[in-house]
Amino acid sequence: MDRRTSIKAIVAASLGAGIGPMPLLSAGKGQGSRASSSLDPYAEMRWARGYEGQRRADLGDGTFLNPVFAGDHPDPTILRDGEDYYVTFSSFDAYPGIVIWHSRDLVNWRPLTAALRTPIGSVWAPELIRHDGRYYVYIPARFPDRRSIYVIHADRIEGPWSEPVDLDLPRHIDPGHAVGEDGHRYLFLSGGDRVRLTPDGLATVGEVEHVYDPWRYPEDWVVETFAPEGPKIVRRGEWFYMVTAVGGTAGPPTGHMVIIARSRSIHGPWENDPQNPVVRTRSEREKWWSRGHATLFEGPGGRWWMIYHGYENGYWTLGRQALLEPIEWSDDGWARPLGGDLSRPIAKPVDLGAQPHGTPLSDDFTVDRFGTQWAFYDPAPDEAARVRLAEGALHLRAKGSTPGDSSPLCCIAGDHIYRLEADVEVEPGAEAGLLLFYNRRLYAGLGFGDEGLVMHRYGLQRARGTPPGQRDNGAAGPVRSLGLRLTNDRNILTIHTSSDGRRSWQKFDVQMEVSGYHHNVAYDFLSLRPALYAAGRGTARFRNFTYRALG
């Protein structure tokens, strides 16, 4: 049996592995719980569980079940450095951003650092590489009135990372770095374009040129738009391979797809794969929608893989999650994915035994976790000055007048059912609370302050008096401290308050359905994230933030 045949056998066996039922919240157990619906064709899926019950891919039996990164981890860019692998993702409006993760088995990952500290706008589809002993991240970013591609660099992957250098490329996104057979460095760009780099990689040489006309799908396919983007270049043997996304990133679930072209020279001509697209969601009944933005790379033991993103069926709110798929090389030298629709377990690239994965989201605010967990949404350059950690509390200076313009602190959740709790105190003039936050236009949750409770729904605010136990008649009045609990049960939000230090909880009288809080409604390519906010004047204090996945 040759190695290619053995890989196919391993994958075929793992795809046929049985999957037990997913543990569910029983009716009446826990607030906001509901039984699994027979309408969900994937209700029988079982993921492994990590920190605080968060789902993880490694099943502990030599197989994994996608996603390898649950929750919003779009546009993955991966670097192999010996036996170590590093990956980062689009961080959009979150700062600190460009969180770099490390793994040796491609399934279990731990965060190392946030490489980007200086706001340069909304960050889209970066490229992480190593060249001549130095690490680089090429970063497309856009402010409302300016867009370009920047580069940061470091001598060690952990940093320190440099300040951003502007490459003055205002018309392109999604850079893909390559070194040609001529020894020159290039950035391949959206739309089939390319520009040459200086030897140090910190400036461009000459003008942007068009070098590739991407493969086009049939006219009657259901897609969002053509949008050729995310070119990633890999060299294998005598060929350069260009992997590109077309079909639009969101929109219809069947739109986004992966195509491949190859050339014997970095300068072309580029030959399209006769089996394009090599990855595509063909039906809205599949587990993973809008699969695309892929990178080919060699993994442990010489086996090849593809990492890309996709939306989970029924969970646009979780954003684009990172997916890992094995490939084989055909006799005529094309990459052939082996993972099917990725709805079943797959053999791990290598089994190194028990490995930590992810990071706990609960925070007692005794150590600085900005960048690896917390990030400001759409911050000003001096946003960090709003934060102080002291006496076991996060002291957050108020900003703006609503959650939408307050630059809330957010973290990424990847579970179908989870619960947040925190103790919150506000000074006069301030309003603070807990949210499920998508963007400045769309969020849900509860806050309080001078006017009592403030309900947030659809991105709109409504005063709701004071909670039970603080004023018998429920009339409006100031609230200065409160325990808050948000439970997100498959996109149903239930809110509770506690006036006695979380010893007892009172259910808020409005529950919210939030499945529409996503990109196809409000743009921005983000996810619905747990968030802390403080608006108005003065300071809010948050203590004992806890996160728990419930199923």
Side-chain angles (χ1 to χ4, degrees), residues 461-532:
Q461 288 71 240
R462 182 179 176 186
R464 290 303 304 270
T466 52
Q470 291 205 5
R471 183 183 289 261
D472 291 339
N473 61 12
V479 177
R480 297 289 174 235
S481 66
L482 204 59
L484 296 178
R485 170 192 284 173
L486 304 188
T487 304
N488 183 357
D489 185 347
R490 302 181 183 92
N491 293 319
I492 301 296
L493 172 60
T494 302
I495 303 172
H496 289 76
T497 63
S498 175
S499 300
D500 60 5
R502 302 197 202 177
R503 290 188 296 275
S504 63
W505 292 94
Q506 293 76 45
K507 182 180 177 182
F508 189 64
D509 63 345
V510 176
Q511 290 177 275
M512 307 174 191
E513 204 281 336
V514 296
S515 64
Y517 289 42
H518 60 75
H519 170 82
N520 286 341
V521 174
Y523 191 57
D524 282 348
F525 294 107
L526 302 173
S527 68
L528 195 58
R529 292 155 290 170
L532 318 175

Side-chain angles (χ1 to χ4, degrees), residues 90-266:
S90 293
S91 50
F92 295 103
D93 301 295
Y95 282 86
I98 305 293
V99 178
I100 297 174
W101 298 72
H102 170 257
S103 176
R104 287 198 165 183
D105 66 4
L106 302 179
V107 173
N108 297 291
W109 297 83
R110 296 299 308 276
L112 287 182
T113 187
L116 182 63
R117 302 279 171 163
T118 301
I120 53 175
S122 183
V123 167
W124 295 35
E127 170 81 324
L128 172 65
I129 64 109
R130 188 185 186 208
H131 182 79
D132 283 348
R134 175 177 281 187
Y135 298 93
Y136 298 81
V137 186
Y138 290 91
I139 307 170
R142 55 182 69 188
F143 283 113
D145 58 348
R146 162 113 178 121
R147 58 188 288 180
S148 190
I149 295 177
Y150 300 79
V151 59
I152 57 177
H153 57 86
D155 294 328
R156 299 173 64 251
I157 192 73
E158 299 87 354
W161 286 81
S162 73
E163 288 295 302
V165 177
D166 188 351
L167 297 179
D168 193 22
L169 293 168
R171 294 184 174 87
H172 293 84
I173 58 173
D174 295 12
H177 180 272
V179 179
E181 73 275 17
D182 55 10
H184 293 310
R185 301 175 66 177
Y186 299 90
L187 278 188
F188 283 73
L189 306 164
S190 54
D193 293 347
R194 185 187 76 178
V195 67
R196 185 176 153 190
L197 294 172
T198 56
D200 65 3
L202 302 181
T204 61
V205 177
E207 299 298 320
V208 173
E209 55 183 339
H210 186 72
V211 295
Y212 171 58
D213 292 317
W215 176 89
R216 282 186 176 267
Y217 43 80
E219 185 66 27
D220 61 348
W221 284 14
V222 178
V223 301
E224 182 183 30
T225 185
F226 184 41
E229 57 194 15
K232 300 296 183 184
I233 310 295
V234 63
R235 191 174 190 178
R236 179 179 181 268
E238 62 183 2
W239 293 101
F240 291 92
Y241 291 86
M242 184 193 307
V243 185
T244 306
V246 296
T249 302
T254 54
H256 208 31
M257 64 192 85
V258 177
I259 65 171
I260 298 179
R262 70 183 181 184
S263 172
R264 295 183 190 275
S265 169
I266 199 69

Side-chain angles (χ1 to χ4, degrees), residues 36-57:
S36 175
S37 169
S38 61
L39 297 177
D40 180 0
Y42 301 100
E44 298 302 304
M45 303 294 285
R46 180 190 290 275
W47 283 273
R49 295 290 163 181
Y51 296 115
E52 307 148 335
Q54 296 179 56
R55 62 175 173 162
R56 59 183 298 178

